[in-house]
Amino acid sequence: MDLFEYQGKQYFARYDIPVSPGGPADTVDEAVKEAASAGYPVVVKAQVQVGGRGKAGGIKLADNETEVREHAGNILGMDIKGHVVRRLWVEAASDIDEEYYVSFTLDRSEKKHLMMLSREGGVEIEVVAEENPDAIVKLHIDPVDGLSEAIARQACINAKLPDRAINGATDILVKLYRCYDEGDCDLAEINPLILKPTGEVHALDAKVTLDGNAEFRHPEWDAFRGLTEMDDREKMAAERDLQYIGLDGTVGIIANGAGLAMSTLDVVNQVGGSAANFLDIGGGANADVMAGALEVINFDENVKSIFINIFGGITRGEEVAKGIVEAMGRVDLKAPIVIRLDGTNAEEGRQILVDAGIPEDKLRSEPTMLEAARAAVALAS
Ligand code: GDP
Ligand code: MN
């Protein structure tokens, strides 16, 4: 689960990581109220789950009420890379001497946590990695050992942070690691981590992804939920326990396995189409799962064709086929289906689809992923 900046900062605060005082606002009047209690000057910040808000005009300094009204009015409703701003975060403005970057995430290949620290913050870390890779200090952390203060301090020195920033930065690194580890984050990132003229070090932004697998031990995460950015399709999918991500294209995608679903998106793109979604039905291709998947895709007004891409492994082809036939009986589909069914018992599965007597213009089978993608894209255009 991805948190908004202000939720990330609330999470940071639980671990004693310094952030600026502020409050959320959904209207201009609320923004004025929050500005008054934070104290001028303030920063008015768009709450959308996408980076580069600053450049897009979603972050503005305001010295007084008139400016807060102006900026809040402009930013609310603004579209930032396809994300509409519904909420603001208004916080006391900080004076900045320097901007750093720090993050913790999991390095699966090393089976360790990875800390990245850079004295060049405030810009996208990908850009720093490209243009000045030496400016990023990478440190693998064994989850059993954790991150000691001594190692955190050495990382700050290696990253060439100035002497006066070392204590404050070390302290935040240790706290942020605790937040990441005990707080069950997949990602905890501060960009920028700032050094103030006073010498204090402070989190100016927050990017936090919570690990859904740890949800059972965090009842407090419920507070974050209702507010996370889900469109109606994603809400529908979540209710059906489907691994679904909404996209902007016209070909609805159903695949079994995340890897296959990803390649399906690629192949659809490759033949000139665009996917309406990512949807991994996992191993369960029974009628309930398939009907749920088709319902969500059917709800999407942009969908002009549906590409079901199944490679039977443990999931057998005839189970999938039966699931599709039954699901098609339950859901009144607006778009035609193209299916590629391969793997275990694919023959039997295809026969079931033929025997079901579903007309060609509603469901057709193609022998390969590429041909099925072409057919689905042709139907969608
Ligand atoms: P992002 O663009 O979405 O990553 O949003 P950030 O919260 O990281 O803000 C982007 C940039 O705005 C920062 O790197 C700062 O340069 C600037 N900024 C944000 N808050 C403040 C503030 O309180 N004071 C000042 N002077 N600049 C700020
Ligand atoms: Mn940022």
Side-chain angles (χ1 to χ4, degrees):
M1 174 169 39
D2 294 329
L3 300 188
F4 288 99
E5 172 198 4
Y6 76 95
Q7 295 172 322
K9 284 180 169 171
Q10 288 167 353
Y11 211 52
F12 285 173
R14 300 168 62 105
Y15 294 90
D16 223 19
I17 296 163
V19 292
S20 309
D26 295 345
T27 63
V28 172
D29 286 337
E30 280 171 28
V32 169
K33 231 176 74 195
E34 292 302 337
S37 56
Y40 287 100
V42 295
V43 204
V44 180
K45 307 185 78 175
Q47 295 302 290
V48 281
Q49 288 170 345
V50 62
R53 294 167 301 161
K55 270 190 217 152
I59 295 179
K60 294 283 182 198
L61 282 159
D63 281 326
N64 50 52
E65 183 178 327
T66 314
E67 288 181 12
V68 169
R69 286 194 180 280
E70 184 193 331
H71 296 315
N74 287 339
I75 298 173
L76 280 168
M78 182 184 274
D79 187 308
I80 301 182
K81 301 178 187 166
H83 299 244
V84 178
V85 183
R86 307 246 172 259
R87 179 162 285 185
L88 304 168
W89 171 253
V90 182
E91 69 174 30
S94 305
D95 289 328
I96 304 175
D97 266 3
E98 296 189 1
E99 302 192 23
Y100 312 130
Y101 172 96
V102 60
S103 69
F104 290 94
T105 185
L106 181 66
D107 184 342
R108 288 173 196 277
S109 57
E110 291 286 326
K111 300 194 173 86
K112 282 182 180 155
H113 299 307
L114 175 66
M115 183 185 86
M116 289 197 275
L117 175 66
S118 176
R119 62 173 192 273
E120 295 190 12
V123 286
E124 282 169 48
I125 195 66
E126 290 83 358
V127 174
V128 181
E130 180 93 0
E131 291 173 0
N132 194 4
D134 293 343
I136 304 174
V137 168
K138 293 183 181 178
L139 177 74
H140 281 101
I141 301 161
D142 190 312
V144 176
D145 301 338
L147 177 66
S148 70
E149 198 193 309
I151 290 175
R153 182 174 301 275
Q154 190 57 50
C156 293
I157 294 166
N158 295 349
K160 301 194 172 68
L161 302 193
D163 287 348
R164 64 196 185 98
I166 301 270
N167 283 343
T170 301
D171 184 52
I172 289 185
L173 257 47
V174 170
K175 286 172 174 165
L176 187 64
Y177 178 75
R178 255 197 70 209
C179 173
Y180 167 81
D181 180 42
E182 290 172 29
D184 287 312
C185 302
D186 279 337
L187 169 73
E189 180 190 86
I190 304 177
N191 186 23
L193 177 70
I194 58 162
L195 173 65
K196 300 201 224 177
T198 54
E200 290 160 284
V201 180
H202 179 117
L204 208 63
D205 194 4
K207 192 166 167 191
V208 173
T209 304
L210 301 173
D211 176 359
N213 296 311
E215 206 178 308
F216 68 95
R217 57 185 172 215
H218 293 282
E220 80 278 12
W221 287 1
D222 284 350
F224 295 138
R225 199 160 326 270
L227 299 160
T228 48
E229 245 179 26
M230 269 200 218
D231 65 25
D232 291 339
R233 301 172 295 171
E234 289 175 340
K235 278 182 205 142
M236 246 179 116
E239 283 162 12
R240 288 162 179 74
D241 272 331
L242 295 168
Q243 301 298 321
Y244 176 98
I245 296 164
L247 301 168
D248 301 329
T250 53
V251 181
I253 306 278
I254 299 176
N256 66 327
L260 185 61
M262 295 287 277
S263 354
T264 309
L265 302 195
D266 285 346
V267 172
V268 165
N269 254 301
Q270 192 191 324
V271 298
S274 58
N277 64 277
F278 167 98
L279 202 172
D280 164 22
I281 53 167
N286 65 32
D288 286 339
V289 175
M290 194 54 85
L294 287 173
E295 271 163 11
V296 175
I297 286 182
N298 203 35
F299 171 77
D300 186 339
E301 309 247 315
N302 290 332
V303 168
K304 299 286 178 284
S305 70
I306 302 168
F307 179 5
I308 302 182
N309 191 4
I310 303 287
F311 194 93
I314 296 168
T315 314
R316 298 193 313 272
E318 78 268 26
E319 293 296 325
V320 176
K322 277 184 211 151
I324 292 171
V325 172
E326 197 183 324
M328 284 183 79
R330 283 196 237 164
V331 188
D332 186 16
L333 290 178
K334 290 180 292 206
I337 295 178
V338 179
I339 180 169
R340 173 261 185 160
L341 184 57
D342 211 336
T344 311
N345 295 3
E347 287 292 317
E348 291 88 331
R350 283 190 218 121
Q351 194 55 49
I352 288 171
L353 292 177
V354 171
D355 294 345
I358 302 163
E360 269 274 297
D361 62 339
K362 287 204 181 295
L363 177 106
R364 58 192 266 204
S365 220
E366 292 289 343
T368 68
M369 178 152 152
L370 189 61
E371 282 162 278
R374 285 205 179 107
V377 170
L379 285 168
S381 50

